[in-house]
Amino acid sequence: MMKRNIIKIIQLSLIVLLVAVGIWFVNRVGIEQVRANVDQLGVWAPLAVVLLRLVSVVIPAIPSTAYSILSGVLFGFVQGIVVIAIADFVACNLNFYIAKRYGRNLVQKFVGQRFMGRVDSLSQKYLERNIFLVTGFLMTGLFDFVAYAVGLTQMKWRSFMLALILGIAISTPPIVALGAGVFEGGRILLIVAMLGIFALAMLTGWLSRKRGVRGEG
């Protein structure tokens, strides 16, 4: 438990550090100049963020929240959501497929033995019988592990897809809005981000207490 808490603190510290460095850099260069440079890269900029986010979901030991914030910074609120939604949709389907097709042994190679207990714990919580529970978990920081866990159950791909789309639609905007709002000075976006993040935190806490699953991807 102590080691897990230390890992959480380190991950949170890295995210805070990245945001702080980003704020300093943008204040020095200017958000419009940053986005102008990003626009010059064309499709390669969003593709790079998609790939980075995808890898961080397929290998859950790598923090992924920072990429949602980065997407909001670089591309703005709407395009930032699209970039992260595409990445999460592809990555979670890949996680589901890996677990369903190759089973627990290959999943363990991706998540590591230390985190495999988290996947096992989730897969044993009757997720296949409750699509609403799956949707709820997919809205939390556990979503990468959940995609693997559901793949280890008997749940069909269509049911998983429905839960995944709903989970992405609800959980993605608040985090992207945080990045877009901070760097654009948008008060409305920041309010939306704070309320959304608070709601997601409450949901995570409730699910953790209800099912005895703790941790963050």
Side-chain angles (χ1 to χ4, degrees):
M1 180 63 69
M2 179 66 70
K3 184 180 293 186
R4 184 177 299 177
N5 290 334
I6 292 175
I7 292 174
K8 288 182 182 179
I9 293 172
I10 292 174
Q11 290 180 343
L12 180 60
S13 299
L14 286 174
I15 292 172
V16 171
L17 178 62
L18 286 173
V19 172
V21 171
I23 292 174
W24 173 83
F25 179 75
V26 170
N27 286 335
R28 186 176 180 84
V29 178
I31 185 63
E32 296 303 326
Q33 182 60 46
V34 171
R35 288 183 176 169
N37 292 337
V38 169
D39 287 340
Q40 292 178 0
L41 296 176
V43 71
W44 294 109
L47 181 59
V49 175
V50 166
L51 290 176
L52 288 170
R53 172 75 172 189
L54 190 152
V55 170
S56 72
V57 174
V58 175
I59 306 176
I62 302 174
S64 58
T65 304
Y67 298 119
S68 295
I69 298 174
L70 178 65
S71 187
V73 173
L74 297 181
F75 311 117
F77 181 60
V78 175
Q79 188 178 348
I81 289 176
V82 172
V83 169
I84 296 301
I86 291 173
D88 288 355
F89 181 82
V90 174
C92 287
N93 271 287
L94 180 58
N95 288 13
F96 179 85
Y97 173 79
I98 289 172
K100 183 71 69 177
R101 177 68 176 81
Y102 299 103
R104 187 179 182 281
N105 289 336
L106 187 57
V107 171
Q108 182 168 314
K109 293 183 183 299
F110 281 99
V111 306
Q113 186 174 0
R114 182 161 57 90
F115 290 105
M116 193 60 206
R118 190 175 298 178
V119 175
D120 289 336
S121 179
L122 283 164
S123 66
Q124 294 166 7
K125 300 302 177 183
Y126 308 103
L127 293 181
E128 62 189 285
R129 303 179 187 177
N130 193 334
I131 190 173
F132 297 105
L133 187 61
V134 173
T135 303
F137 274 118
L138 285 169
M139 294 180 196
T140 72
L142 294 166
F143 74 98
D144 36 16
F145 294 101
V146 173
Y148 278 126
V150 176
L152 295 176
T153 71
Q154 297 301 312
M155 177 174 278
K156 301 298 183 183
W157 177 75
R158 289 183 180 180
S159 298
F160 173 72
M161 280 285 292
L162 178 61
L164 176 62
I165 291 172
L166 185 57
I168 290 175
I170 295 175
S171 63
T172 302
I175 311 300
V176 175
L178 180 60
V182 166
F183 293 97
E184 292 177 353
R187 293 184 179 180
I188 294 179
L189 283 179
L190 284 175
I191 292 173
V192 170
M194 292 299 102
L195 291 175
I197 291 171
F198 177 75
L200 292 174
M202 293 290 290
L203 175 63
T204 302
W206 179 78
L207 288 170
S208 295
R209 289 193 299 271
K210 183 178 179 62
R211 293 294 171 178
V213 179
R214 296 190 179 278
E216 183 176 5

